[in-house]
């Protein structure tokens, strides 16, 4: 089946009032190709270091790694809008952020980058946008702050917290982001954020009142066994399917029923 036309920044922004956006992570060409038919946007998330590389959190992801995986995803999904996550420590100030974002654009065909942070990152985001970088924001629970915050803490639980989140969303919208990931936020708060801004708000653990959803692919395919956050729905039991397939392979090797005539030259 042919893939739908690749979305542009403008069509992503316009989707806010027209339809809900489907966003999924991918880290390689193999899976990116499989996702292309249904995904509006593929995010090369720094979650790759947890779901693919067995690390405890995302903080060890490097820019080289992100660029390598973004290239693989773009090769697999040539017709899909791809966002590259800027890893921890690569956007601490305007100069560093711009230098590293330019590296992503020069060394991969990524359509945009993603940066974690709210109001405190607004000036930095404005500078990136001014220099021709398309930026997706990310507020609420910020995985890159997990060590500083002492865990993955759900946000938007108090009126003060909700007010701060809305201020964050408005500040980075004003700075120029074209869409915004809102993670780990009470559903009522996420809906208020989505209502407060004109750009699409993509939720993850943020309830059903936003403008689209993103999940980490290895979670939603049931491949990641280490833990399952409450917000994850497993659309298939990938780990069982994979284990059963490999067990069948082993059994057939051991009892000489593989390869058969049709697999033999
Ligand atoms: O790294 C990632 O996969 C992300 C999503 C959780 C939004 O940032």
């Amino acid at each position: 089946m042919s893939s739908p036309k690749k979305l542009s920044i403008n069509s992503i922004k316009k989707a806010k009032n027209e339809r809900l956006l489907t966003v999924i992570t991918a880290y390689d060409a193999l899976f990116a190709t499989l996702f292309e038919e249904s995904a509006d946007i593929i995010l090369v998330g720094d979650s790759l270091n947890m779901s693919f590389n067995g690390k405890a959190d995302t903080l060890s992801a490097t820019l080289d790694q992100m660029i390598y995986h973004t290239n693989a995803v773009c090769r697999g999904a040539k017709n899909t809008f791809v966002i590259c996550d800027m890893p921890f420590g690569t956007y601490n100030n305007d100069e560093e952020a711009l230098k590293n974002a330019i590296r992503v654009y020069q060394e991969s065909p990524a359509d945009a980058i993603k940066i974690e942070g709210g109001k405190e990152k607004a000036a930095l985001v404005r500078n990136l946008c001014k220099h021709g970088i398309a930026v997706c924001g990310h507020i609420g629970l910020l995985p890159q702050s997990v060590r500083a915050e002492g865990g993955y803490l759900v946000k938007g639980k108090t009126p003060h917290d909700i007010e701060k989140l809305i201020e964050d969303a408005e500040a980075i919208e004003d700075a120029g982001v074209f869409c915004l990931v809102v993670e780990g936020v009470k559903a009522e708060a996420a809906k208020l954020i989505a209502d407060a801004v004109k750009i699409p708000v993509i939720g993850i653990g943020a309830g059903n009142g936003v403008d689209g959803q993103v999940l980490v692919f290895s979670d939603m395919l049931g491949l990641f066994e280490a833990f399952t956050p409450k917000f994850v729905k497993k659309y298939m039991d990938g780990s069982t399917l994979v284990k059963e397939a490999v067990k069948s392979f082993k059994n057939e090797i051991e009892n000489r029923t593989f390869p058969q005539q049709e697999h033999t030259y």
Side-chain angles (χ1 to χ4, degrees):
M1 198 173 148
S2 68
S3 306
K5 196 170 168 299
K6 177 171 172 167
L7 295 183
S8 64
I9 293 277
N10 285 338
S11 49
I12 291 170
K13 284 189 190 163
K14 234 173 112 218
K16 169 102 180 173
N17 304 312
E18 293 171 355
R19 65 188 183 88
L20 299 176
L21 290 165
T22 301
V23 184
I24 187 166
T25 70
Y27 317 120
D28 60 35
L30 178 70
F31 278 99
T33 305
L34 300 177
F35 301 157
E36 185 153 56
E37 192 176 313
S38 300
D40 292 307
I41 299 174
I42 295 182
L43 167 66
V44 187
D46 57 1
S47 54
L48 75 88
N49 249 12
M50 297 174 76
S51 59
F52 253 45
N53 289 336
K55 302 279 180 73
D57 57 38
T58 63
L59 275 71
S60 56
T62 66
L63 193 61
D64 283 345
Q65 245 184 319
M66 297 310 299
I67 290 171
Y68 173 88
H69 288 278
T70 299
N71 273 297
V73 167
C74 291
R75 277 194 296 275
K78 293 191 177 59
N79 222 6
T80 305
F81 192 97
V82 173
I83 302 177
C84 170
D85 227 354
M86 294 302 281
F88 177 70
T90 60
Y91 52 98
N92 289 325
N93 56 56
D94 287 13
E95 202 182 326
E96 177 182 66
L98 184 59
K99 182 172 88 82
N100 287 328
I102 289 172
R103 263 201 71 195
V104 172
Y105 268 10
Q106 290 187 332
E107 296 177 33
S108 83
D111 297 290
I113 60 162
K114 177 166 80 61
I115 278 189
E116 292 186 10
K119 235 181 348 191
E120 77 288 357
K121 285 281 181 282
L124 182 144
V125 167
R126 193 180 299 282
N127 187 50
L128 289 170
C129 296
K130 197 176 84 188
H131 286 88
I133 311 285
V135 183
C136 170
H138 184 154
I139 63 168
L141 185 161
L142 304 179
Q144 292 177 9
S145 301
V146 62
R147 296 190 200 172
E149 293 199 354
Y152 295 104
L153 310 179
V154 174
K155 302 288 163 63
K157 289 183 171 174
T158 65
H160 177 259
D161 203 13
I162 295 173
E163 200 180 312
K164 186 185 168 306
L165 285 167
I166 293 175
E167 279 172 20
D168 282 339
E170 288 175 339
I172 54 169
E173 175 184 40
D174 187 59
V177 299
F178 69 95
C179 79
L180 179 59
V181 169
V182 172
E183 177 166 1
V185 166
K186 296 285 282 180
E188 306 73 33
K191 164 108 181 68
L192 289 171
I193 295 168
D195 290 345
V197 295
K198 293 192 180 63
I199 47 171
V201 167
I202 311 298
I204 173 162
N208 208 359
V210 290
D211 308 308
Q213 299 288 333
V214 56
L215 281 177
V216 170
F217 92 87
S218 44
D219 288 338
M220 56 88 68
L221 296 185
L223 291 165
F224 185 70
E225 289 189 305
F227 61 91
T228 307
K230 178 181 165 66
F231 59 79
V232 168
K233 176 170 176 182
K234 294 188 178 184
Y235 286 82
M236 62 180 256
D237 185 2
S239 59
T240 303
L241 290 173
V242 169
K243 283 185 208 165
E244 278 172 1
V246 179
K247 197 183 289 171
S248 299
F249 180 46
K250 176 180 169 65
N251 287 343
E252 292 188 9
I253 292 169
E254 289 176 353
N255 60 31
R256 280 202 195 279
T257 53
F258 177 84
Q260 298 197 339
Q261 199 52 43
E262 77 240 50
H263 313 115
T264 305
Y265 293 111

